[in-house]
């Protein structure tokens, strides 16, 4: 036994500190306020969270909490089974109908997480089309990569957001082969946005099916929160859209929306859908309330957009470099493992501001970032305080500014 334990203890040598998790307690009703166990963890320290994917604060919205509480009272805590065997509740059915309507697709299918939605959907779609050739963006998420691996389909990678490269690869492929193009709309680490109209044009030109991951965009962009493709007016040009309920919608779970025949095939064959317990009714009810709210309210989207624009402008004033200003994800470049951790640490300990340092393997070594997620529930004052704190830390640690680079 010792030799196995010895093996595993050495396996994580050198990566342990980067993977320490900060324990936080988000305060419902007062988020982005939270408490954290800093240092030895014996005391709770008040903090403000700047790295949450609950981008619109829907995880504490009164209508969402009321829906979840009601569903718990009605149906208890768990779902009791897989969707196929006793686990399908009325809220699942309502939520699938709502999501299909949101994306103007024929049908939708819920999964327990966005990860399993990509894994299951892609394994079926790419795996069941005979001889499918897949074109996948180089920065596509791990769940997309895993879904494509499970499909066993042949895969070609195009350079990130590079339509010229995608065009080249498509032109070089056998024109008779069925093709699938897989992209995200907002990239989770860079915060940049894909050229969706160009991708759709190429798909038309080469008769390819398209799969769009809108995880970081649903609820957050577009009419009724339908996402970036809807905002650009090209949603109908993507065969299927995949989303999460865990970010803009503030709950948990993932989904696929698309033509009824595709959704039916995924429902029949996706192992990550079939062989797992359905999401709890209260989670489906909470997500349903969030989706319904965000289909009619612009308040949260407007606030988030204002806060992101304000933060971008304040960083520009200080010359603090970030990767993209195309979305609400503000990835500040540190490009050094140790300094990134120290900057994050100083923000937390000195200023009570929680921004997670993103180090390898989430990004390539030497491309470390502070991934800042402004939230609809941050105030202008809080945005200003964060920018000031970052400015102080940049000076103290002698971090590179845009001005240095120029
Ligand atoms: N797709 C992308 C682009 C993501 O960034 C993530 C998670 O961060 C997922 C899918 C998985 O979604 P979930 O967190 O709901 O499992």
């Amino acid at each position: 036994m010792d030799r196995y334990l010895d093996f595993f203890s050495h396996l994580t040598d050198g990566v342990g500190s980067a993977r320490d998790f900060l324990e936080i307690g988000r305060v419902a009703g007062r988020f982005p306020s939270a408490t954290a166990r800093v240092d030895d963890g014996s005391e709770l320290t008040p903090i403000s969270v700047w790295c949450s994917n609950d981008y619109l604060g829907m995880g504490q919205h009164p209508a969402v909490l009321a829906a979840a509480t009601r569903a718990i009272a009605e149906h208890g805590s768990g779902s009791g089974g897989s969707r196929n065997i006793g686990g399908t509740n009325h809220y699942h059915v309502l939520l699938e109908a709502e999501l299909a309507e949101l994306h103007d697709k024929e049908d939708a299918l819920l999964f327990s997480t966005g990860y399993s939605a990509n894994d299951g959907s892609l394994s079926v779609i790419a795996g069941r089309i005979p001889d499918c050739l897949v074109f996948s963006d180089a920065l596509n998420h791990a769940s997309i990569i895993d879904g494509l691996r499970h499909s066993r389909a042949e895969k070609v990678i195009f350079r990130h957001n590079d339509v010229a490269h995608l065009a080249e690869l498509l032109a070089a492929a056998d024109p008779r082969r069925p093709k699938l193009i897989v992209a995200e709309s907002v990239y989770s680490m860079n915060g940049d946005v894909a050229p969706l109209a160009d991708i759709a044009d190429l798909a038309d030109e080469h008769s390819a099916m398209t799969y769009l991951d809108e995880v970081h965009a649903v609820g957050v962009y577009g009419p009724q929160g339908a996402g970036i493709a809807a905002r650009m007016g090209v949603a109908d040009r993507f065969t299927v859209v995949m989303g999460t309920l865990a970010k803009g919608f503030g709950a948990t779970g993932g989904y696929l929306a698309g033509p009824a025949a595709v959704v039916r095939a995924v429902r029949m064959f996706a192992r990550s859908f079939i062989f797992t317990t359905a999401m709890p009714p209260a989670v489906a009810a909470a997500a349903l309330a969030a989706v319904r709210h965000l289909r009619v309210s612009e308040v949260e989207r407007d606030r988030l957009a204002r806060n992101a624009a304000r933060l971008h402008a304040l960083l520009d004033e200080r010359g603090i470099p970030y990767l993209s200003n195309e979305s609400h994800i503000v990835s500040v470049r540190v490009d050094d493992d140790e300094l990134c951790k120290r900057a994050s640490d100083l923000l937390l300990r000195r200023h009570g501001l929680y921004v997670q340092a993103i180090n390898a393997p989430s990004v390539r070594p030497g491309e470390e970032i502070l991934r800042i997620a402004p939230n609809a529930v941050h105030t202008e004052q809080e945005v200003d305080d964060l920018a000031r704190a970052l400015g102080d830390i940049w000076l103290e640690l002698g971090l590179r500014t845009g001005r240095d680079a120029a």
Side-chain angles (χ1 to χ4, degrees):
M1 181 59 92
D2 282 354
R3 69 190 253 231
Y4 298 112
L5 295 184
D6 202 39
F7 167 76
F8 283 106
S9 43
H10 289 302
L11 194 60
T12 53
D13 279 353
V15 290
S17 65
R19 294 277 141 183
D20 282 344
F21 302 138
L22 183 68
E23 181 190 317
I24 68 167
R26 303 201 301 149
V27 183
R30 286 201 292 119
F31 181 69
S33 295
T35 54
R37 291 193 187 277
V38 187
D39 298 324
D40 66 355
S42 57
E43 279 184 38
L44 290 178
T45 309
I47 58 162
S48 179
V49 180
W50 279 94
C51 52
S52 174
N53 288 337
D54 181 3
Y55 300 125
L56 301 172
M58 293 308 290
Q60 67 179 4
H61 192 284
V64 171
L65 302 192
T69 310
R70 199 179 324 115
I72 292 243
E74 286 169 345
H75 301 295
S77 65
S79 65
S82 63
R83 287 291 300 277
N84 195 25
I85 310 178
T88 295
N89 179 273
H90 192 47
Y91 290 115
H92 297 126
V93 176
L94 290 178
L95 181 53
E96 285 175 338
E98 189 79 25
L99 290 166
E101 209 180 284
L102 171 70
H103 291 290
D104 200 16
K105 300 287 187 202
E106 285 176 1
D107 206 353
L109 184 67
L110 284 175
F111 290 76
S112 307
T113 65
Y115 180 95
S116 54
N118 268 336
D119 186 35
S121 302
L122 285 166
S123 67
V124 172
I125 294 170
R128 297 277 172 161
I129 299 172
D131 200 29
C132 184
L133 180 58
V134 182
F135 297 80
S136 180
D137 186 286
L139 287 195
N140 275 344
H141 188 256
S143 54
I144 293 177
I145 296 169
D146 290 357
L148 291 175
R149 275 192 193 140
H150 281 146
S151 78
R152 300 191 186 157
E154 189 187 343
K155 178 174 79 170
V156 184
I157 306 288
F158 60 94
R159 286 191 292 272
H160 175 54
N161 276 351
D162 186 339
V163 274
H165 191 215
L166 175 59
E168 221 175 89
L169 294 171
L170 282 162
D174 180 345
R176 287 161 306 181
R177 255 183 110 170
K179 299 175 186 71
L180 173 70
I181 303 176
V182 187
E184 298 177 20
S185 59
V186 176
Y187 280 85
S188 62
M189 286 301 160
N190 289 20
D192 54 352
V193 171
L196 296 182
D198 295 340
I199 291 175
D201 286 346
L202 283 173
D204 286 350
E205 204 179 305
H206 295 272
S207 307
M209 182 173 166
T210 41
Y211 183 107
L212 184 62
D213 175 322
E214 290 249 38
V215 157
H216 294 276
V218 288
V220 179
Y221 296 97
Q224 302 183 25
I228 291 274
R231 186 174 79 173
M232 292 177 174
V234 296
D236 59 329
R237 302 184 65 196
F238 285 82
T239 323
V240 293
V241 58
M242 174 270 164
T244 187
L245 303 165
K247 303 188 198 293
F249 296 128
T252 195
Y255 63 90
L256 179 77
V262 179
V263 173
R264 195 180 322 117
V266 173
R267 185 186 285 121
M268 291 289 290
F269 298 124
R271 295 167 69 81
S272 69
F273 173 79
I274 300 166
F275 296 105
T276 194
T277 300
M279 72 169 56
V283 174
L288 180 62
V291 174
R292 284 183 172 162
H293 176 83
L294 290 172
R295 289 187 71 187
V296 293
S297 170
E298 292 297 330
V299 176
E300 294 79 9
R301 280 189 284 280
D302 287 349
R303 279 208 196 126
L304 177 61
R306 267 205 309 276
N307 281 342
R310 189 176 185 87
L311 184 58
H312 283 128
L314 291 170
L315 295 179
D316 286 342
E317 268 175 31
R318 290 165 174 78
I320 295 176
Y322 54 86
L323 291 175
S324 167
N325 65 1
E326 291 179 319
S327 78
H328 60 287
I329 298 171
V330 186
S331 295
V332 168
R333 291 181 56 183
V334 182
D335 298 339
D336 181 283
D337 177 79
E338 207 42 54
L339 288 171
C340 200
K341 272 186 273 183
R342 279 183 60 198
S344 164
D345 228 48
L346 281 171
L347 278 170
L348 182 67
R349 282 158 208 274
R350 194 177 291 167
H351 301 277
L353 303 172
Y354 175 33
V355 180
Q356 184 61 46
I358 309 289
N359 290 349
S362 303
V363 290
R364 280 193 286 259
E367 295 183 3
E368 291 77 7
I369 53 173
L370 291 173
R371 182 185 181 276
I372 302 175
N375 199 292
V377 296
H378 283 121
T379 61
E380 280 187 3
Q381 185 61 53
E382 286 172 319
V383 178
D384 296 355
D385 291 346
L386 172 75
R388 199 168 316 111
L390 278 168
D392 291 350
I393 288 167
W394 241 245
L395 282 178
E396 180 170 338
L397 298 182
L399 295 176
R400 202 167 54 85
T401 63
R403 294 181 196 116
D404 300 337

